């Protein structure tokens, strides 16, 4: 089971990409592809199928290797149709704002910009993973322009996987912030197992999700699970069990999925920012509608009282897996 954004077909070339000659050769190959990120959005075809647009070097005439981020090399099924052999293609990412005005105009003409998460349901697992990586790394460059030690400008080095201060030479690397997300369950005195879900006021009406939160410095993942649930819902849990992880570069996280067993029942949301939290039985969860971007041609689901968290998230995976008794004790 691989979750959305985790199906990465590319070999990141961690050792090779530091070699400038190797990188320049990959950059100039005819079949090398580029994906452009514009203020966090990706470029797609104008039609309703929303195929992602990967560009060739000839479509980006003035782009230099130093302004690009090397994502990796792999067989995307986009290679030479006459050849039976899989074709390994290198892919780079670039920030739209680094392009010349005439190229920007051409791209605006060529396709449409969309938030990746809004169209993930239409994409192949591979495209979603590559675009998520591109989006996360471009965001990291934009948000780390200055040195954290001395405040002078940083420059991209190592194929876009590090930034070095132009003054004190301090190196900065892309960060990933760990967040735990947990399906909390409890067997109630009436013999019915229920799970704990919560919602934030800003979410779509009726949408509920598993509780989640960032791991604090100096904390184990298990301690973070226990702390977050008591902070957000006043529920005591024990026995956190790791289930799965999901890259979540929106902008820079990894979600670490757990189950945990509650030893208390009374919910108290007064200490944190949840709008509501509630115990749900499997019978109730079965009536949840799936909240996700509709594929073209699909009709909106019948309005249900409750909605599942977004279909691309590990939250919906954990809830569905618990509903089907694939995870948890009860
Ligand atoms: Zn510095």
């Amino acid at each position: 089971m691989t979750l959305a954004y985790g199906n990465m077909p590319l070999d990141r070339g961690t050792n090779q990409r530091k070699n400038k000659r190797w990188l320049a050769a990959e950059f100039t190959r005819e079949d090398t592809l580029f994906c452009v990120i514009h203020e966090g959005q990706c470029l797609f075809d104008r039609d309703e199928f929303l195929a992602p647009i990967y560009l060739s070097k000839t479509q980006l005439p003035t782009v230099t290797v130093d302004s690009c981020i090397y994502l990796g090399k792999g067989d995307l099924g986009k290679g030479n149709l006459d050849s039976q052999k899989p074709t390994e293609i290198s892919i780079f990412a670039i920030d739209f704002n680094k392009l010349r005005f005439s190229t920007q105009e051409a791209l605006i003409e060529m396709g449409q910009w969309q938030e990746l998460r809004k169209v993930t349901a239409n994409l192949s697992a591979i495209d979603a993973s590559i675009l998520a990586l591109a989006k996360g790394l471009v965001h990291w460059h934009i948000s780390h322009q200055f040195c954290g030690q001395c405040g002078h400008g940083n420059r991209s080095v190592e194929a876009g996987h590090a930034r070095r201060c132009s003054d004190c030479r301090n190196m900065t690397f892309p960060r990933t912030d760990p967040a735990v997300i947990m399906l909390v369950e409890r067997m109630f005195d009436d013999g019915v197992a229920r799970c704990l879900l919560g919602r934030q006021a800003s979410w779509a009406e009726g949408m509920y999700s598993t509780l989640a939160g960032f791991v604090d410095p100096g904390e184990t993942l298990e301690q973070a699970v226990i702390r977050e649930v008591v902070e957000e819902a006043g529920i005591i849990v024990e026995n956190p069990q790791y289930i799965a992880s999901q890259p979540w570069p929106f902008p820079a996280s990894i979600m670490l999925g757990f189950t945990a067993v509650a030893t208390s029942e009374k919910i108290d949301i007064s200490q944190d920012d949840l709008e509501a939290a509630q115990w749900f039985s499997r019978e109730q969860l079965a009536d949840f509608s799936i909240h996700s971007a509709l594929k073209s041609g699909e009709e909106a689901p019948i309005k249900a009282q409750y909605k599942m968290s977004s279909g691309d998230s590990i939250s919906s995976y954990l809830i569905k897996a618990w509903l089907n008794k694939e995870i948890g004790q009860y």
Side-chain angles (χ1 to χ4, degrees):
M1 168 66 200
T2 311
L3 293 147
Y5 315 117
N7 289 273
M8 178 54 67
L10 303 179
D11 174 347
R12 294 158 191 261
T14 311
N15 293 326
Q16 297 100 309
R17 73 190 181 206
K18 293 177 189 162
N19 178 334
K20 285 194 164 183
R21 258 162 83 186
W22 181 89
L23 188 69
E26 289 304 309
F27 180 76
T28 47
R29 277 176 63 128
E30 224 174 58
D31 56 4
T32 291
L33 296 175
F34 296 79
C35 56
V36 182
I37 304 294
H38 180 22
E39 288 171 2
Q41 300 190 327
C42 309
L43 187 59
F44 298 93
D45 277 346
R46 284 197 176 279
D47 63 32
E48 76 267 35
F49 300 110
L50 288 166
I53 297 179
Y54 295 95
L55 299 153
S56 68
K57 180 73 183 67
T58 52
Q59 289 170 296
L60 301 166
T62 58
V63 164
T64 63
V65 66
D66 291 336
S67 61
C68 292
I69 304 162
Y70 185 67
L71 300 183
K73 189 172 190 173
D75 177 21
L76 309 181
K78 298 178 195 295
N80 184 354
L81 295 175
D82 302 330
S83 164
Q84 294 300 308
K85 282 193 214 155
T87 311
E88 300 258 298
I89 294 173
S90 274
I91 301 192
F92 288 80
I94 185 164
D95 182 352
F96 177 83
N97 292 315
K98 290 189 184 293
L99 302 174
R100 189 186 263 195
F101 183 66
S102 56
T103 310
Q104 291 181 339
E105 281 192 319
L107 294 190
I108 289 166
E109 199 63 31
M110 190 184 296
Q112 54 175 316
W113 300 97
Q114 291 281 350
E115 278 294 339
L116 175 59
R117 289 202 58 210
K118 287 193 177 158
V119 303
T120 295
N122 286 61
L123 299 178
S124 75
I126 285 175
D127 284 331
S129 304
I130 292 171
L131 295 179
L133 173 63
K135 184 174 149 65
L137 283 173
V138 167
H139 177 272
W140 175 74
H141 280 272
I142 293 168
S143 57
H144 289 78
Q145 297 189 40
F146 300 99
C147 174
Q149 302 268 26
C150 76
H152 281 87
N154 275 334
R155 291 193 63 166
S156 175
V157 292
E158 295 187 5
H161 290 263
R163 292 180 71 83
R164 186 165 56 217
C165 176
S166 55
D167 191 63
C168 76
R169 316 293 285 169
N170 174 49
M171 294 282 276
T172 308
F173 299 94
R175 54 182 289 170
T176 296
D177 301 327
V180 288
I181 182 160
M182 42 277 169
L183 188 297
V184 174
E185 59 172 351
R186 176 169 171 81
M187 181 59 79
F188 280 66
D189 289 343
D190 60 5
V192 176
R194 292 181 175 86
C195 73
L196 178 66
L197 304 180
R199 61 169 273 107
Q200 290 176 11
S202 59
W203 291 354
E205 192 190 340
M207 188 172 111
Y208 275 76
S209 171
T210 46
L211 306 190
F214 287 109
V215 180
D216 268 357
E219 189 174 49
T220 67
L221 302 180
E222 289 80 2
Q223 287 164 350
V225 169
I226 293 166
R227 176 183 55 77
E228 279 291 339
V229 180
V230 79
E231 278 177 9
E232 291 189 10
I235 295 291
I236 315 286
V237 298
E238 60 182 19
N239 195 22
Q241 295 287 318
Y242 172 76
I243 302 296
S245 67
Q246 180 181 38
W248 198 250
F250 309 113
S253 288
I254 180 161
M255 305 304 290
L256 303 153
F258 282 80
T259 57
V261 175
T263 58
S264 69
E265 271 174 33
K266 193 172 177 309
I267 294 168
D268 174 10
I269 55 166
S270 65
Q271 301 303 308
D272 211 342
D273 57 359
L274 286 183
E275 184 191 59
Q278 207 174 310
W279 291 104
F280 291 96
S281 67
R282 286 191 174 83
E283 202 179 341
Q284 286 172 299
L285 290 180
D287 287 336
F288 273 44
S289 70
I290 307 291
H291 176 84
S292 65
L294 295 174
K295 291 193 181 190
S296 53
E298 264 182 6
E299 288 192 18
I302 300 159
K303 198 169 186 295
Q305 186 185 1
Y306 296 115
K307 296 184 183 74
M308 192 89 79
S309 38
S310 184
D312 63 343
S313 68
I314 189 171
S315 169
S316 70
Y317 166 73
L318 291 171
I319 296 169
K320 283 181 221 161
W322 186 78
L323 177 60
N324 297 327
K325 298 195 175 180
E326 291 160 5
I327 61 169
Q329 292 187 14
Y330 305 122

